[in-house]
């Protein structure tokens, strides 16, 4: 079955009827006007980037696979021309258009699916928050100064073992917090929602992390985790719904991407816009990345979040203006989706506040499309990512289709054709082979 699109309907109709569609943020204003009203600023992101640099020697020591990058956890940016052509061929049929009329811009995949340590975008925000807390504890205890080589922290596992790190998660955040916390010596407890995949729980348990399972959704797992952690003075709770640290850890991605685009000789300016599509759960990852990108490129970068048709929490929060005071169940949706990383019914207030005037739009995707995109990427460019990550493809589709419509209505020269598009692949490299093969229906090389 193919996903049907909700053209010419309002957002509430599209949501109720589970249509894939593009919601343009009508509150979007020039970034220079939005920026002064935001709770965080560009210096906060710079500070996070510097903190990650201080930790690089320790990361290199604990995770030797990061040596080639000097202890920075960063992912490749890969052009996926073959996949782009396959996508365009599919959509041409939908639009009844000739191939040469299609906007032919570069398409890249930002492979956070392959980030070291956690295998997902959560290696940015989650790990950053654990490190920041670790720095605070170590400085308070008196065995760390900013000018030290942070590799010394690997010798204090006993000290950290008296402390607990806890988090509520649909899976990937738990993996990033759990793996990093366990490596530093902490006791780690991950509160997993019902959507979390079995293999993620198994992997964590194999690293000595305590996994608590809940029958209900993500919000409940977070609530329970927060409550249990608050009762223990030696426990720290990573709060995905409110954490500025997580948000800033994600935002550091932007300066790294800027270097990669420069290496690719990609220009970003008013005549050459950059389009970025990021899968959205509670909002921290796409919100933080968008904040970082807008600080660099302002209105020349267009940022779109993508959410499942059954769990568009940021869309209902922003479109209704009620932010975290509404959830997807209020609109008759289940909140359930094959995109386990995006199975969130209520958006983060912090992120909704930060993105209210900043995000360009939100796109929804039907579950049926996710595995199809997964297969297309594998067949054409031999890259494997998890279903949640594939939501980004639907973002690209909606913007390409919008361009085609504009082009057919307008004088062609007025439609920009010099842009660059980036699909943010948010997770996947830790997926077990059997899981991948079950989705693809074939044996993986
Ligand atoms: C967590 C996650 C996201 C979205 O991040 P949020 O901070 O929850 O919005 C997207 N994709 C994958 C694979 C994830 O694990």
């Amino acid at each position: 079955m193919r996903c049907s699109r909700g053209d010419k309907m309002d957002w509430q109709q599209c949501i109720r009827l589970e249509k894939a569609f593009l919601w343009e943020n009508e509150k979007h204003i020039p970034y220079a006007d939005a920026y002064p009203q935001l709770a965080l600023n560009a210096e906060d992101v710079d500070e996070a980037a510097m903190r990650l640099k201080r930790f690089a020697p320790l990361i290199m020591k604990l995770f030797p696979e990061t040596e080639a990058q000097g202890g920075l956890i960063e992912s490749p940016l890969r052009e996926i021309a073959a996949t782009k052509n396959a996508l365009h061929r599919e959509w041409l049929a939908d639009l009844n258009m000739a191939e040469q009329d299609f906007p032919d811009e570069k398409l890249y995949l930002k492979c956070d699916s392959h980030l070291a340590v956690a295998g997902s975008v959560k290696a940015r925000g989650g790990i950053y928050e654990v490190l920041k807390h670790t720095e605070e504890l170590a400085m308070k205890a008196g065995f760390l100064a900013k000018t030290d080589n942070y590799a010394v922290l690997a010798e204090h596992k006993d000290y950290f073992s008296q402390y607990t790190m806890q988090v509520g998660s649909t899976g990937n955040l738990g993996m990033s917090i759990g793996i990093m916390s366990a490596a530093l010596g902490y006791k780690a407890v991950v509160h997993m929602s019902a959507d979390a995949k079995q293999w993620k729980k198994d992997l964590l348990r194999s690293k000595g992390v305590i996994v608590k399972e809940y029958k209900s959704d993500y919000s409940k797992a977070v609530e329970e985790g927060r409550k249990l952690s608050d009762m223990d003075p030696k426990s720290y709770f990573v709060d995905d719904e409110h954490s500025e640290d997580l948000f800033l850890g994600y935002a550091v991605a932007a300066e790294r991407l800027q270097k990669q685009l420069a290496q690719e000789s990609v220009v970003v300016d008013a005549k050459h816009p950059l389009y970025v599509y990021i899968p959205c759960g509670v909002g921290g990852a796409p919100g933080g990345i968008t904040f970082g990108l807008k600080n660099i490129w302002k209105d020349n970068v267009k940022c779109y979040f993508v959410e499942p048709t059954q769990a568009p929490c940021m869309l209902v929060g922003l479109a209704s203006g009620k932010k975290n005071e509404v959830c997807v169940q209020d609109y008759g949706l289940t909140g359930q989706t094959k995109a386990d990383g995006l199975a969130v019914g209520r958006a983060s207030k912090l992120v909704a506040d930060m993105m209210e005037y900043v995000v360009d739009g939100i796109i929804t995707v039907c579950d049926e499309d996710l595995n199809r995109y997964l297969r297309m990427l594998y067949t054409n460019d031999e890259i494997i990512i998890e279903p949640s990550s594939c939501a980004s493809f639907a973002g690209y589709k909606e913007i390409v289709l919008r361009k085609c419509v504009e082009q057919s209505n307008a004088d062609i020269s007025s439609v920009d054709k010099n842009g660059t598009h980036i699909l943010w692949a948010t997770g996947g490299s830790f997926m077990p082979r059997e899981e991948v093969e079950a989705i693809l229906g074939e044996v993986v090389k």
Side-chain angles (χ1 to χ4, degrees):
M1 194 170 91
R2 286 278 297 279
C3 187
S4 74
R5 298 178 53 252
D7 274 336
K8 303 192 177 66
M9 292 181 191
D10 70 23
W11 67 269
Q12 303 195 38
Q13 270 179 313
C14 286
I15 283 176
R16 289 216 171 80
L17 299 172
E18 294 176 62
K19 300 289 183 193
F21 75 111
L22 161 66
W23 172 77
E24 311 237 25
N25 182 9
E26 62 266 25
K27 283 194 181 169
H28 178 269
I29 53 175
Y31 192 63
D33 297 333
Y35 181 73
Q37 307 174 39
L38 301 177
L40 297 166
N41 59 42
E43 287 78 59
D44 296 324
V45 183
D46 293 342
E47 199 184 298
M50 282 181 312
R51 182 166 287 112
L52 288 170
K53 284 202 185 95
R54 291 200 291 278
F55 271 99
L58 176 70
I59 301 293
M60 204 150 51
K61 188 163 179 182
L62 297 176
F63 301 96
E65 67 269 32
T66 63
E67 239 164 64
Q69 306 195 66
L72 291 188
I73 300 172
E74 195 43 71
S75 72
L77 177 71
R78 282 187 54 182
E79 190 175 359
I80 47 169
T83 302
K84 183 184 79 174
N85 292 335
L87 290 167
H88 287 191
R89 276 195 301 276
E90 185 185 289
W91 300 336
L92 280 172
D94 294 357
L95 290 165
N96 199 12
M97 271 177 67
E99 197 143 8
Q100 65 270 21
D101 293 337
F102 236 59
D104 189 26
E105 300 169 315
K106 281 198 167 188
L107 181 65
Y108 287 91
L109 189 75
K110 179 60 178 156
C111 300
D112 278 7
S113 45
H114 292 68
L115 279 174
V117 185
S120 81
V121 68
K122 304 298 194 305
R124 298 186 185 280
I127 287 174
Y128 173 71
E129 181 150 355
V130 172
L131 296 179
K132 178 159 185 253
H133 183 62
T134 300
E135 187 181 57
E136 278 160 15
L137 286 178
M139 284 182 177
K140 225 191 224 161
F143 56 78
L144 184 72
K146 259 190 190 177
T147 48
D148 287 347
N149 180 330
Y150 278 31
V152 69
L153 292 172
E155 291 152 30
H156 292 274
K157 289 187 188 175
D158 275 352
Y159 181 80
F160 295 122
S161 70
Q162 56 177 318
Y163 293 98
T164 306
M165 289 282 188
Q166 307 204 46
V167 67
S169 173
T170 61
N172 285 340
L173 185 62
M175 293 219 288
S176 95
I177 304 288
I179 293 170
M180 182 49 84
S181 300
L184 287 164
Y186 294 102
K187 190 175 146 195
V189 184
V190 176
H191 304 266
M192 286 283 204
S193 63
D195 314 278
K197 294 265 184 290
Q198 190 59 41
W199 66 265
K200 294 183 181 175
K201 300 176 199 167
D202 296 343
L203 190 146
L204 280 174
R205 288 189 172 122
S206 78
K207 307 225 177 235
V209 174
I210 298 165
V211 178
K212 297 208 171 181
E213 300 180 52
Y214 295 85
K215 289 209 178 65
S216 54
D217 74 350
Y218 164 82
S219 308
K220 193 78 194 160
V222 171
E223 195 185 312
E224 283 300 308
R226 191 188 287 134
K227 208 157 65 190
L228 288 172
S229 183
D230 287 350
M231 292 189 307
D232 176 357
K234 289 204 161 171
S235 173
Y236 181 86
F237 186 69
V238 177
D239 198 330
D240 202 11
E241 289 176 340
H242 302 100
S243 170
E244 292 186 351
D245 291 334
L246 271 175
F247 190 88
L248 293 170
Y250 291 123
V252 174
E255 60 161 51
R256 313 261 183 92
L257 179 70
Q258 186 179 27
K259 292 197 185 101
Q260 291 177 321
L261 286 174
Q263 272 161 15
E264 292 282 317
S265 307
V266 169
V267 174
V268 181
D269 59 24
K271 288 216 171 78
H272 305 83
L274 178 65
Y275 295 84
V276 183
Y277 311 99
I278 321 170
C280 177
V282 73
I289 292 168
T290 294
F291 179 56
L293 295 172
K294 293 277 182 182
N295 285 338
I296 294 175
W297 289 296
K298 317 275 183 303
D299 303 315
N300 297 332
V301 60
K302 321 278 178 200
C303 299
Y304 294 91
F305 296 178
V306 192
E307 300 188 298
T309 50
Q310 279 293 339
C313 64
M314 192 60 74
L315 174 49
V316 300
L318 291 184
S320 70
K322 294 181 188 160
K323 300 182 179 164
N324 64 327
E325 283 160 21
V326 284
C327 65
V328 301
Q329 284 79 8
D330 296 340
Y331 292 84
L333 302 177
T334 62
Q336 283 166 9
T337 163
K338 270 192 274 184
D340 55 327
L342 316 181
V344 179
R346 192 182 297 274
S348 149
K349 176 164 190 323
L350 166 76
V351 179
D353 284 342
M354 291 288 293
M355 292 294 115
E356 185 171 12
Y357 303 102
V358 171
V359 70
D360 291 85
I362 301 181
I363 287 141
T364 59
V365 58
C366 305
D367 273 21
E368 304 91 85
D369 281 351
L370 299 173
N371 287 353
R372 217 163 37 77
Y373 290 136
L374 193 154
R375 199 172 300 116
M376 273 171 114
L377 181 63
Y378 174 67
T379 313
N380 292 287
D381 283 289
E382 293 184 355
I383 304 172
I384 293 172
I385 62 177
E386 67 183 83
S388 299
S389 293
C390 297
S392 54
F393 284 72
Y396 175 61
K397 175 176 180 177
E398 289 300 321
I399 296 303
V400 167
L401 296 195
R402 190 186 65 186
K403 276 182 191 249
C404 292
V405 172
E406 282 169 357
Q407 185 167 289
S408 64
N409 292 341
D411 155 22
I412 290 189
S413 63
S414 72
V415 176
D416 87 74
K417 279 189 164 187
N418 306 305
T420 301
H421 299 256
I422 297 180
L423 307 178
W424 213 283
T426 43
S429 62
F430 282 14
M431 259 196 303
R433 176 179 277 254
E434 313 80 72
E435 184 95 6
V436 177
E437 291 180 346
I439 295 172
L440 290 173
E442 64 180 285
V443 175
V444 177
K445 275 178 265 171

